[in-house]
Amino acid sequence: MDATATSLAAVSTQELTREAGLVDALRATVGPDQIQTDPDITSAYSRDMMPLAPAGTPLAVVFPADTAQVAAVVQACAAAGVPIVPRGAGSGLTGAANAVDGAVSVVMTRMNRILEIDEGNRLAVVQPGVVNLDFRTEVESRGLFYAPDPSSYDWCSIGGNLSTNAGGLCCVKYGVTTDAVLGLEVVLASGDVLRTGRRTVKGVAGYDLTKLIVGSEGTLGIITEATLALRPKPFAPCTMVAAFADTESAGAAVSAAIRAGLVPSLMEIMDATCIRAVEAYTGSSILGEGDTPAAIMIGQSDAGPGVARREMDQLEQACVGAGAVFNYVTEDLAEGRMLLQARRVVLTSLEVLGTWLTDDVAVPRTEMAKLIHACAEIAADVQLTIGVVGHAGDGNMHPTIVYDAADPDQVAAAADAFGRILDAGRALGGTVTGEHGIGRIKQDFLAREVGPVALQVHRAIKRALDPQDLFNPGSMFAR
Ligand SMILES: Cc1cc2nc3c(=O)[nH]c(=O)nc-3n(C[C@H](O)[C@H](O)[C@H](O)COP(=O)(O)OP(=O)(O)OC[C@H]3O[C@@H](n4cnc5c(N)ncnc54)[C@H](O)[C@@H]3O)c2cc1C
């Protein structure tokens, strides 16, 4: 063995010893049943739901039980110089929770307790592993409401929602996750436990560190507790559905509704590709017999008896004025739920046609129809199916590309379409993500959107809080 080979062997032996030491320390911290190192098992935690993002093989996957364990895990990794990937339920759509080779994935699902529901102050304190729907159900049983409702709400975690600043169907009225957060507990790269925010309705003391952490995609620390604002439980919704022969009319209806001052609790749109996929999947027509419309809009109001009906009648008028070919308002809850279910099963229905890759782009609401058109042009150009579904009320569209994952040409075409949709959105004055985040799939798009100065500020914040680049290396932006 020559001198170089000998020193390389010494380095890799040192590394193995260091890794073994770290695994021993992690095992002692979380307990022998709460750590996995077998690649056959850890592979289940290596990816989220974005098929095109890179993913590595972690050194270990750990499942801490409390804040002290999280802090000890972070300190052990920092001492060993081993990166950390925080992870919730893995439902993300950007690869942000994907494993990095040799890193430790810290899965927060065991910390899933609702610690407090304070009805007098309309707030709750939760651990990050609580599933969104479980939390919503619990607060609803007390006449309260937690607004953020990503479509994945039956399995995504509150910690993941906070870290991606998740949106959902009712953002048009209630905003995104950050609008429901009062304060956080976060384990920093130093192992220190940061508490941000407050329990009061108002409060402006110091920098708004809560808003800095929300949406930081696991790059600044691990959220171990959240204080969340609750609302009174809304009234049962009144539902409106309208169909359009062209997407321009649907876009015009959205603009007319906004101009009329309507604030529905939900306003969703699906294009003809999605409508056909849903009808094929469910085996029934969404609106009865007839030609497939170019778009369907579903609106809801939860404003209460009388008011909700009035709001939906006004939305219906906006749709009719814009040229709707079908319109219907119902106060029947089962009927409303059935109509909304058609929207909820879009991705499942598209999945029947192939692998789906869902994009996330938000445009000014007046530009929505142009984006849908641009997607149709891109679909024709790359010769793949692209169905557009989205939150019409806030201009946040999810063009979903369907392709054959076993065909390298189709994979390349899907990736190309994914980027071109984002460029089209930006050209219309939009942003490259309305709710899913950047992760390991949109770093270049973020850099282009925010520009060099904002990128330097991102880097400065990252360096200040995580000088070793411990948390989620390679994700969100190049360091
Ligand atoms: C069918 C489907 C529908 C969806 N619909 C929506 C939708 O309507 N709106 C929407 O916004 N998203 C939607 N998503 C995307 C996804 O569900 C959200 O991004 C969700 O917030 C991710 O939560 P998670 O627990 O799965 O987090 P993960 O995917 O595990 O992680 C997401 C990010 O959060 C970080 N993270 C997780 N927990 C913590 C923590 N405790 N501390 C620090 N960082 C942490 C991870 O590092 C990663 O960066 C959908 C996904 C699917 C599959």
Side-chain angles (χ1 to χ4, degrees):
M1 218 189 273
D2 65 17
T4 317
T6 310
S7 74
L8 279 177
V11 169
S12 68
T13 309
Q14 252 175 25
E15 204 154 285
L16 282 177
T17 313
R18 186 175 52 102
E19 285 177 356
L22 174 60
V23 168
D24 285 346
L26 296 176
R27 188 172 287 117
T29 301
V30 295
D33 299 337
Q34 303 302 335
I35 178 166
Q36 297 290 348
T37 53
D38 179 347
D40 285 343
I41 298 173
T42 62
S43 63
Y45 299 92
S46 69
R47 289 200 155 278
D48 66 7
M49 296 300 287
M50 159 51 70
L52 296 189
T57 304
L59 168 69
V61 176
V62 296
F63 305 85
D66 56 34
T67 303
Q69 287 191 6
V70 174
V73 165
V74 169
Q75 274 165 342
C77 290
V82 168
I84 295 166
V85 177
R87 186 178 171 97
S91 73
L93 290 167
T94 64
N98 283 8
V100 170
D101 280 338
V104 171
S105 290
V106 180
V107 181
M108 300 300 289
T109 47
R110 252 179 102 204
M111 292 179 62
N112 63 354
R113 281 186 304 133
I114 298 171
L115 300 172
E116 180 188 353
I117 296 180
D118 177 348
E119 294 169 36
N121 286 304
R122 259 193 234 142
L123 63 80
V125 181
V126 303
Q127 292 186 318
V130 178
V131 169
N132 181 300
L133 183 60
D134 293 346
F135 178 50
R136 293 168 69 82
T137 307
E138 181 58 35
V139 299
E140 274 179 37
S141 73
R142 309 203 190 186
L144 293 166
F145 177 56
Y146 176 66
D149 65 339
S151 306
S152 52
Y153 67 177
D154 53 351
W155 66 292
C156 64
S157 73
I158 294 289
N161 296 169
L162 292 162
S163 305
T164 56
N165 199 1
L169 270 59
C170 69
C171 297
V172 58
K173 181 166 181 178
Y174 297 109
V176 291
T177 298
T178 193
D179 299 308
V181 187
L182 294 174
L184 296 172
E185 180 187 87
V186 187
V187 173
L188 299 174
S190 57
D192 291 331
V193 179
L194 166 73
R195 291 202 75 97
T196 75
R198 59 204 153 78
R199 288 172 65 101
T200 50
V201 174
K202 290 173 74 179
V204 295
Y207 289 158
D208 194 339
L209 300 179
T210 308
K211 281 214 181 331
L212 174 65
I213 299 292
V214 174
S216 63
E217 299 185 17
T219 62
L220 297 179
I222 302 185
I223 299 166
T224 46
E225 193 181 288
T227 305
L228 303 172
L230 304 174
R231 293 167 176 273
K233 188 174 161 184
F235 293 98
C238 175
T239 305
M240 189 241 38
V241 61
F244 300 88
D246 54 81
T247 48
E248 284 79 7
S249 306
V254 173
S255 299
I258 305 296
R259 260 198 308 273
L262 298 180
V263 188
S265 52
L266 174 154
M267 188 151 67
E268 296 288 305
I269 191 167
M270 50 204 279
D271 74 355
T273 304
C274 296
I275 298 166
R276 276 192 216 100
V278 167
E279 291 185 339
Y281 176 71
T282 58
S284 64
S285 165
I286 301 173
L287 301 177
E289 297 311 312
D291 294 341
T292 304
I296 287 179
M297 186 210 284
I298 301 170
Q300 281 190 334
S301 170
D302 60 6
V307 187
R309 175 78 206 202
R310 241 187 347 267
E311 269 193 356
M312 287 302 95
D313 285 344
Q314 281 178 277
L315 181 59
E316 184 181 41
Q317 280 161 25
C319 291
V320 171
V325 292
F326 175 91
N327 44 282
Y328 180 62
V329 177
T330 177
E331 287 176 272
D332 184 283
L333 282 187
E335 214 170 24
R337 217 173 287 127
M338 206 177 65
L339 287 165
L340 199 55
Q341 185 61 11
R343 157 65 181 95
R344 289 197 188 276
V345 298
V346 166
L347 287 182
T348 319
S349 307
L350 288 170
E351 197 165 27
V352 175
L353 309 176
T355 301
W356 56 260
L357 172 65
T358 203
D359 218 327
D360 169 38
V361 56
V363 292
R365 290 170 283 199
T366 45
E367 306 300 310
M368 202 183 63
K370 287 187 198 145
L371 181 75
I372 297 176
H373 262 307
C375 291
E377 279 172 18
I378 294 167
D381 202 38
V382 299
Q383 298 194 349
L384 292 176
T385 298
I386 302 180
V388 184
V389 60
H391 315 303
D394 46 38
N396 186 187
M397 296 293 113
H398 296 309
T400 301
I401 307 154
V402 183
Y403 65 103
D404 178 357
D407 178 342
D409 290 341
Q410 287 207 16
V411 174
D416 179 36
F418 188 85
R420 284 168 64 181
I421 290 166
L422 298 177
D423 289 338
R426 283 244 295 129
L428 292 167
T431 171
V432 296
T433 171
E435 55 183 24
H436 294 167
I438 300 297
R440 293 189 160 77
I441 196 86
K442 291 186 181 174
Q443 294 102 322
D444 294 346
F445 294 93
L446 173 75
R448 284 202 289 277
E449 178 168 326
V450 301
V453 176
L455 204 56
Q456 278 313 321
V457 174
H458 276 69
R459 289 188 179 123
I461 292 170
K462 174 72 175 164
R463 268 198 305 276
L465 289 181
D466 180 12
Q468 268 182 285
D469 194 12
L470 210 56
F471 290 121
N472 239 340
S475 198
M476 213 179 196
F477 53 90
R479 309 297 190 249

